């Protein structure tokens, strides 16, 4: 009836967590990959580090989780996140990452984006956690935490 | 005018004035003696070269009261330090008398010492009350006289590089502006300073108020009372007699009512217990009391446990609310980051509507949509999160306040329970006690009431004392608010604005007379806060010819002196120029400058000029110009005969 009268209706828009937006996930992904050795990250590293940065936990809690191994009954265990996989698809499509045999690596566009993000004053909390972790998250550590083989 | 050939000693004479007055700091950070080797190392005269053992400078001048003063300072001496300046209250050079002498020190903060500071003495002679100004190190210092001298003296080597070019390095913030304001008699900075100080005092009173108000509330709550009528933040309207109410958290009974009630109970109990004959005991009543007290304990115990459960539940709700707020704030930060990333260059992959680079279908920036409804834009999301955070923060604050009252009530219940258990024990003891002895229950009640009465008297006294303090703070605040209200609405008064306008006119007039050609003199202005020649709001300096830069300095410094003839300023009435014909300024320009400078005599002002202009040229320029010429041939420094 409303349409017959020409009254426009638009569906209500719903709030979307930033963690589900490409504008947040893709930059986070390229930053993560840039912190892995030689700008290349395994799938396990991507899931483990993404989990750490989106869970908003401290370095001590993260190291504790990493060290305790994988327990499928633990509700707060580190798990494979489908959003990470979908984000990788979008980042690859945008030319920022490229798939490798065991994970992803940065393209030159991805490196350029990382450089721009460094001076933009964004992702402060996430960068602080990454800085405190350093390059300590080895591929084997990440695989063990997820309960997968590399 | 001091006229002589180059390298004959004119600048020695000019810089000796600076040195005698202790102003060498304006010439450079090393504060070296601004005199040549002839005064400090070796001197050549009549074919001989001799080492300098001692040399000194003498200067005679008048202060604002027209009384002569003579000063002397050693430039080189085997034992006497350069910091010493000796002053005589009289004309030692031109007079005969041996007037009273005093020693002072100069250089560094000591120059402004109350007793021995030479610059303090000099400021008093000139009639200057030197203000305190902010330094770049966030402390206040006097506006050192070296800063003011940059508007009174142009030194030959560095002084012509720009308006107020020479500045000492004493870290005074905005030194050029402060000096110009002071000499012109414009007190905008002092008014701003006064306003800052008043506001700072008001803020300190506000902090004291919050501390006292918090203490008052805490004192009342520790005795189970809530306070109303005491603002948590400064309220300068509070006066003596302001009504404050204390209500018990449970019964809403006023403090006065409870004190009156307790005092009566204590009086009656004391009368009964101290009576010569032991009071008659009613054993039936005592047994009844035992049953009642047991019931009271049971009721209070149940109420206390119920309250404890409520408090714990509410605490858990608050923790959950805290976690939700934390999550919302984290999401807000992430949304802000995503918005910032989009603003960096609006990359395709961050846009709300995108095209998949592989299959070219339309996709959005939402990676995993939840349901059919579209997602909000980033900006709308941020607005939504802010609204959520505001609403939940309000809930959190209200919940915290409610929990505070709940805790207060729990505290009171626990105390009442302790008292009730004590009364129950006393009632049990009473029933078991022989009839000839006063009942333990009655004694216990009397003790409890008496203790409570003492606590409430103390509370009353504490509240009264703290309220008196608040009334005093309010009174102080009213005084400061009145002082702030009395400050002028605009920083510069009408008279001060008039001075600035006229200074601009004087500068423009002179620039036209002196042949300023870099652009139209009419485009130059002088305005607050810079008080230096500017064009379109930018200080004039770059982009003009070097000779026009010199004309600008003539116009600016003479402008200050000329303004003092028609307005009340703090200019001392003297300006000094060492070699004003810099950068090959045209002789006609110099002639116009000298003619203008000569007008000072008619106003009891003085302009000192040292020049190496050839005699013939100088004579033409000074034709018809009132002047006093001191010329000399050869060297200024000669052996005495």
């Amino acid at each position: 009836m409303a349409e017959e009268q020409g009254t426009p209706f638009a569906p209500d828009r719903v709030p979307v967590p930033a963690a589900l937006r490409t504008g947040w996930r893709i930059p986070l992904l390229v930053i993560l990959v840039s912190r892995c050795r030689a700008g290349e990250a395994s799938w396990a590293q991507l899931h483990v580090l993404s989990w750490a940065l989106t869970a908003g936990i401290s370095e001590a809690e993260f190291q504790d989780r990493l060290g305790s191994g994988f327990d499928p009954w633990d509700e707060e265990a580190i798990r494979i996140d489908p959003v990470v996989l979908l984000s990788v698809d979008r980042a690859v499509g945008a030319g920022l990452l490229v798939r490798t045999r065991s994970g992803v690596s940065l393209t030159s566009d991805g490196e350029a984006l990382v450089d721009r993000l460094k001076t933009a004053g964004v992702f402060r909390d996430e960068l602080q956690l990454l800085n405190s972790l350093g390059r300590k998250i080895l591929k084997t550590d990440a695989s063990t935490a997820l309960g997968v083989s590399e | 005018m001091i006229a002589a050939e180059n390298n004959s000693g004119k600048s020695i004479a000019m810089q000796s004035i600076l040195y005698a007055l202790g102003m060498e700091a304006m010439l450079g950070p090393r504060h070296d003696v601004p005199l040549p080797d002839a005064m400090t190392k070796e001197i050549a005269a009549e074919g001989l070269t001799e080492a300098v053992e001692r040399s000194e400078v003498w200067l005679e001048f008048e202060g604002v009261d027209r009384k002569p003063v003579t000063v002397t300072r050693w430039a080189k001496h085997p034992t006497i330090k350069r910091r010493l300046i000796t002053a005589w209250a009289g004309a030692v050079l031109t007079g005969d008398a041996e007037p009273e002498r005093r020693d002072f020190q100069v250089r560094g903060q000591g120059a402004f010492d109350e007793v021995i500071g030479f610059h303090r003495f000099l400021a008093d002679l000139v009639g200057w009350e030197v203000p305190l100004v902010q330094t770049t190190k966030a402390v206040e210092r006097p506006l050192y006289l070296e800063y003011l001298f940059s508007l009174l003296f142009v030194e030959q080597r560095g002084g012509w590089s720009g308006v107020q070019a020479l500045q000492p390095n004493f870290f005074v913030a905005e030194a050029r502006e402060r000096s110009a304001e002071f000499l012109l008699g414009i007190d905008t900075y002092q008014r701003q300073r006064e306003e800052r100080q008043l506001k700072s005092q008001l803020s300190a009173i506000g902090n004291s108020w919050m501390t006292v108000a918090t203490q008052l509330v805490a004192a009342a709550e520790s005795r189970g009372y809530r306070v109303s009528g005491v603002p948590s933040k400064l309220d300068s309207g509070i006066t003596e007699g302001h009504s404050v109410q204390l209500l018990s958290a449970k019964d809403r009974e006023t403090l006065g009512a409870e004190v009156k009630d307790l005092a009566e109970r204590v009086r009656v109990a004391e009368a009964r217990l101290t009576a010569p004959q032991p009071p008659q005991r009613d054993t039936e009543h005592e047994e009844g009391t035992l049953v009642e007290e047991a019931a009271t304990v049971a009721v209070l115990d149940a109420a206390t446990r119920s309250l404890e459960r409520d408090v714990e539940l509410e605490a858990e709700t608050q923790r959950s609310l805290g976690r939700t707020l934390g999550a919302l704030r984290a999401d807000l930060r992430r949304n802000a980051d995503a918005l910032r990333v989009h603003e960096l260059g609006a990359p395709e992959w961050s846009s709300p509507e995108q095209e998949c680079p592989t299959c070219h279908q339309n996709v959005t920036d939402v990676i995993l949509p939840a349901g059919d409804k579209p997602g909000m834009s980033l900006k709308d999301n941020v607005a939504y999160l802010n609204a959520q955070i505001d609403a939940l923060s309000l809930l959190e604050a209200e919940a915290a306040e409610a929990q505070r009252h709940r805790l207060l009530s729990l505290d009171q219940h626990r105390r009442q329970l302790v008292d009730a258990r004590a009364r129950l024990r006393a009632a049990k003891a009473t029933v078991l006690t022989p009839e000839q002895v006063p009942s333990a229950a009655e004694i216990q009640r009397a003790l409890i009431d008496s203790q409570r009465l003492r606590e409430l008297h103390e509370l009353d006294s504490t509240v009264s004392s703290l309220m008196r303090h608040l009334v005093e703070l309010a009174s102080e605040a009213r005084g400061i608010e009145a002082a702030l209200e009395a400050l002028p609405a605009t920083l510069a008064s009408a008279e001060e604005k008039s001075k600035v306008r006229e200074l601009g006119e004087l500068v423009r007039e002179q620039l036209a007379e002196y042949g300023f050609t870099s652009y139209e003199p009419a485009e130059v202005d002088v305005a607050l806060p810079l008080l230096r020649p500017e064009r379109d709001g930018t200080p004039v300096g770059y982009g003009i010819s070097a000779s026009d830069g010199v004309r600008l300095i003539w116009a600016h410094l003479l402008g200050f002196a000329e303004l003092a003839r028609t307005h009340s300023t703090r200019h001392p009435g003297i300006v000094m120029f060492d070699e004003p014909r810099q950068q090959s300024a045209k002789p006609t320009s110099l002639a116009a400058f000298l003619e203008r400078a000569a007008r000072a005599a008619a106003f009891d002002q003085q302009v000192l000029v040292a020049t190496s202009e050839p005699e013939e040229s100088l004579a033409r320029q000074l034709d018809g110009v009132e002047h006093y010429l001191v010329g000399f041939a050869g060297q200024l420094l000669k052996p005495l005969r």
Side-chain angles (χ1 to χ4, degrees):
Chain A
M1 176 107 162
E3 284 157 353
E4 288 166 358
Q5 292 172 350
T7 310
F9 278 91
D12 273 346
R13 288 185 173 262
V14 293
V16 176
L20 294 181
R21 287 198 195 257
T22 52
W24 192 78
R25 276 285 183 171
I26 289 179
L28 190 72
L29 263 182
V30 297
I31 288 172
L32 282 185
V33 177
S34 74
R35 293 303 183 105
C36 294
R37 195 171 170 195
E40 191 173 319
S42 68
W43 292 110
Q45 280 177 311
L46 275 182
H47 284 290
V48 166
L49 288 172
S50 288
W51 173 86
L53 295 178
T54 50
I57 56 171
S58 67
E59 189 218 339
E61 283 173 86
F62 179 62
Q63 294 290 9
D64 190 46
R65 284 262 156 214
L66 209 61
S68 60
F70 178 68
D71 176 4
W73 297 106
D74 182 357
E75 288 181 1
E76 293 181 358
I78 307 173
R79 294 182 189 280
I80 289 172
D81 184 357
V83 175
V84 171
L85 299 171
L86 292 169
S87 307
V88 166
D89 285 345
R90 302 288 280 266
V92 167
L96 301 168
L97 295 176
V98 69
R99 287 195 177 82
T100 65
R101 205 163 53 85
S102 56
V104 292
S105 71
L106 278 175
T107 63
S108 55
D109 283 352
E111 285 170 4
L113 176 62
V114 171
D115 286 338
R116 283 217 305 282
L117 291 173
K118 273 182 196 166
T119 55
V122 291
F123 294 105
R124 287 185 203 274
D125 294 343
E126 291 78 12
L127 286 171
Q128 195 176 354
L129 180 59
L130 284 174
N131 287 338
S132 64
L133 293 176
R135 291 190 182 275
K136 299 175 196 165
I137 312 304
L138 301 173
K139 291 179 183 177
T140 46
D141 291 336
S143 301
T144 306
L146 276 180
V148 297
S149 56
E150 200 46 36
Chain B
M1 289 201 69
I2 305 173
E5 288 180 359
N6 277 325
N7 301 316
S8 58
K10 300 183 302 304
S11 290
I12 295 178
M14 296 296 278
Q15 292 187 331
S16 294
I17 298 175
L18 278 187
Y19 185 69
L21 296 178
M23 297 294 170
E24 65 270 20
M26 69 180 276
L27 300 177
R30 286 169 44 169
H31 304 185
D32 290 337
V33 176
L35 300 169
D37 289 352
M39 289 282 292
T40 57
K41 289 192 181 147
E42 58 183 27
I43 182 167
E46 297 177 347
L48 292 174
T49 302
E50 302 274 357
V52 174
E53 281 188 7
R54 303 168 191 226
S55 68
E56 59 182 331
V57 168
W58 286 75
L59 178 70
E60 192 177 293
F61 60 95
E62 287 178 357
V64 68
D65 58 1
R66 308 312 299 266
K67 290 182 183 164
V69 172
T70 311
V71 298
T72 183
R73 187 180 178 194
W74 289 99
K76 181 164 182 180
H77 193 281
T79 55
I80 297 175
K81 300 256 186 262
R82 289 200 285 127
R83 296 168 71 97
L84 177 72
I85 294 182
T86 301
W88 284 265
V92 173
L93 290 177
T94 58
D96 296 326
E98 185 70 25
E100 182 194 335
R101 122 187 195 167
R102 277 180 68 186
D103 286 336
F104 294 94
Q105 75 168 8
V106 80
R107 294 178 64 197
Q109 289 185 40
F112 261 92
D113 181 271
E114 287 281 346
V115 177
I116 61 170
F118 178 72
H119 283 170
R120 173 79 64 184
F121 169 73
L122 183 61
D124 288 343
L125 283 179
V126 180
W128 284 341
E129 201 173 316
V130 172
L132 290 174
V133 290
Q134 193 79 8
T135 64
T136 54
K137 299 189 174 186
V139 292
E140 287 194 328
R141 291 278 179 261
L143 180 58
Y144 295 108
L145 301 194
E146 290 91 333
Y147 286 109
L148 299 172
F149 257 67
S150 69
L151 284 165
L152 304 175
F153 189 105
V154 186
E155 183 263 351
Q156 184 190 10
R157 277 170 296 186
W160 294 102
S161 59
V163 170
Q164 287 178 277
L166 293 177
Q167 297 283 303
N169 62 340
F170 295 145
F171 307 107
V172 167
E174 299 176 326
R176 290 182 177 84
E177 289 83 352
R178 299 292 87 78
S179 327
E181 282 168 6
F182 179 77
L183 275 193
L184 289 175
I186 289 175
D187 295 322
T188 49
Y189 174 78
Q190 294 308 319
R191 279 193 284 277
Q192 277 177 321
R193 181 170 170 268
E194 193 184 339
E195 188 182 20
R196 270 198 308 273
Q197 282 177 334
L198 287 172
K199 283 184 175 170
S200 171
Q201 284 168 25
L202 201 59
S203 172
I205 290 174
N207 290 338
S208 297
W209 179 286
M210 285 198 293
T211 302
V212 172
T214 303
Q215 282 173 356
L216 201 156
V217 167
E221 287 182 356
S222 72
R223 296 292 180 232
Y225 273 83
R226 285 177 55 193
V227 179
S228 66
V230 174
S232 57
K233 292 189 180 166
L234 174 62
D235 180 349
S236 60
I238 300 280
T239 54
E240 187 90 38
H242 175 79
S243 165
V244 170
Q245 215 177 26
L246 276 81
L247 288 176
S248 69
K250 181 171 176 282
D251 304 316
R252 313 290 289 176
E253 189 183 26
T254 66
L255 176 66
E258 190 180 350
V259 163
K260 189 176 169 188
D261 187 39
L262 275 172
E264 179 59 21
R265 290 211 312 253
V266 165
R267 189 193 66 74
V268 165
E270 277 178 0
R272 278 172 58 83
L273 292 170
T274 57
Q277 297 295 323
Q280 285 284 337
R281 283 177 58 182
D282 182 346
T283 51
E284 202 175 305
H285 175 72
E286 286 166 4
E287 284 165 8
T289 301
L290 177 60
V291 168
E292 275 175 27
E293 295 295 357
T296 303
V297 164
V299 164
L300 276 173
D301 190 42
T304 304
R305 283 176 203 276
S306 171
L307 262 176
E308 283 169 349
R309 278 193 300 273
D310 288 345
V311 162
E312 182 47 39
L313 269 172
E314 180 59 32
E316 181 49 41
T317 305
Q318 284 187 305
R319 281 191 289 272
S320 171
L321 192 55
R323 283 193 294 272
T324 305
L325 269 171
L328 284 172
R329 288 184 179 120
D331 197 23
L332 181 64
R333 278 196 300 276
R334 290 172 182 173
N335 272 273
D337 281 347
L339 203 54
R340 179 83 190 103
V341 166
H342 185 69
E343 287 166 358
L344 278 180
E348 173 74 22
W349 45 264
S350 72
S351 301
E353 305 293 334
Q354 310 168 18
E355 189 184 273
C356 172
T358 308
C359 67
H360 303 290
Q361 285 186 63
N362 288 336
V363 290
T364 70
D365 67 334
V366 180
I367 298 171
L368 201 61
D372 298 329
K373 292 189 175 175
M376 289 179 182
S377 68
L378 273 173
K379 280 190 180 158
D380 286 347
N381 225 65
V382 166
Y384 170 82
L385 286 168
N386 276 321
Q388 288 287 297
I389 289 169
D390 287 345
L392 286 179
S393 297
L394 197 60
L395 265 177
E396 189 185 41
E398 285 171 357
E401 180 65 13
Q403 182 75 327
R404 209 167 65 79
H405 291 149
R406 214 172 276 117
L407 285 167
L408 192 61
S409 185
L410 177 61
D411 187 54
Q412 193 166 32
H413 270 75
R414 282 174 174 157
R415 269 191 277 106
Q416 285 176 346
L417 186 57
V418 163
D419 289 349
R421 284 185 174 139
R423 286 197 303 273
L424 178 60
R425 283 193 296 275
K428 281 181 186 165
T430 297
V431 164
L432 296 173
T433 303
E435 285 187 24
Q436 292 77 25
V437 176
S439 79
E442 194 171 351
I443 295 171
Q444 179 72 10
R445 257 197 311 278
L447 283 173
I448 289 173
D449 285 348
S450 186
Q451 169 67 18
R452 179 72 178 157
L453 186 61
R454 266 197 302 279
E455 287 174 357
L456 294 185
H457 277 314
E458 272 173 26
L459 173 62
D460 190 40
S461 170
T462 301
V463 166
S464 298
S465 166
L466 291 173
M467 271 312 298
R468 272 195 301 277
H469 194 173
L470 288 179
V471 166
E472 281 166 12
L473 289 173
S475 171
E476 269 185 67
R478 279 196 297 278
I480 294 174
E481 284 168 354
L484 278 168
E485 189 72 23
L487 290 176
T490 57
L491 284 175
S493 66
E495 162 67 5
E496 287 168 345
K497 287 178 185 170
S498 162
K499 284 187 203 177
V500 175
R501 269 197 306 274
E502 189 164 327
L503 179 62
E505 284 163 17
L506 289 169
V507 167
R508 284 190 289 277
E509 198 179 280
Q510 290 178 74
L511 289 178
E513 285 177 19
Y514 303 155
F516 184 90
T517 53
S518 293
Y519 33 78
E520 287 299 321
E523 293 179 56
V524 174
D525 196 14
V526 174
L528 284 164
L530 289 181
L531 295 174
R532 296 201 289 284
E534 59 183 51
R535 179 188 180 217
D536 295 334
T538 308
V540 175
Y542 297 112
I544 61 173
S545 67
S547 57
D548 272 350
V550 169
R551 292 183 183 94
L552 202 64
I553 294 170
W554 297 343
H556 189 59
L557 265 60
L558 277 189
F560 270 71
E562 290 184 9
L563 189 71
R565 298 168 193 171
T566 53
H567 289 79
S568 168
T569 73
R570 298 189 184 100
H571 200 280
I574 181 165
V575 193
M576 294 167 271
F577 298 94
D578 190 357
E579 290 292 4
R581 191 169 172 227
Q582 297 279 322
Q583 304 296 339
S584 307
K586 290 180 188 167
T588 47
S589 292
L590 183 64
F593 164 69
L594 292 176
E595 188 278 328
R596 187 99 184 193
R599 299 180 201 174
F603 296 93
D604 206 22
Q605 292 180 330
Q606 200 174 16
V607 177
L608 294 188
V609 173
T611 179
S612 57
E613 275 294 286
E615 201 178 318
E616 206 177 297
S617 167
L618 195 58
R620 274 199 303 277
Q621 284 158 8
L622 291 175
D623 184 32
V625 174
E626 186 181 345
H627 65 278
Y628 179 75
L629 178 66
V630 174
F632 56 91
Q635 296 292 317
L636 178 68
L637 294 179
K638 291 185 172 72
L640 291 172
R641 298 274 181 239

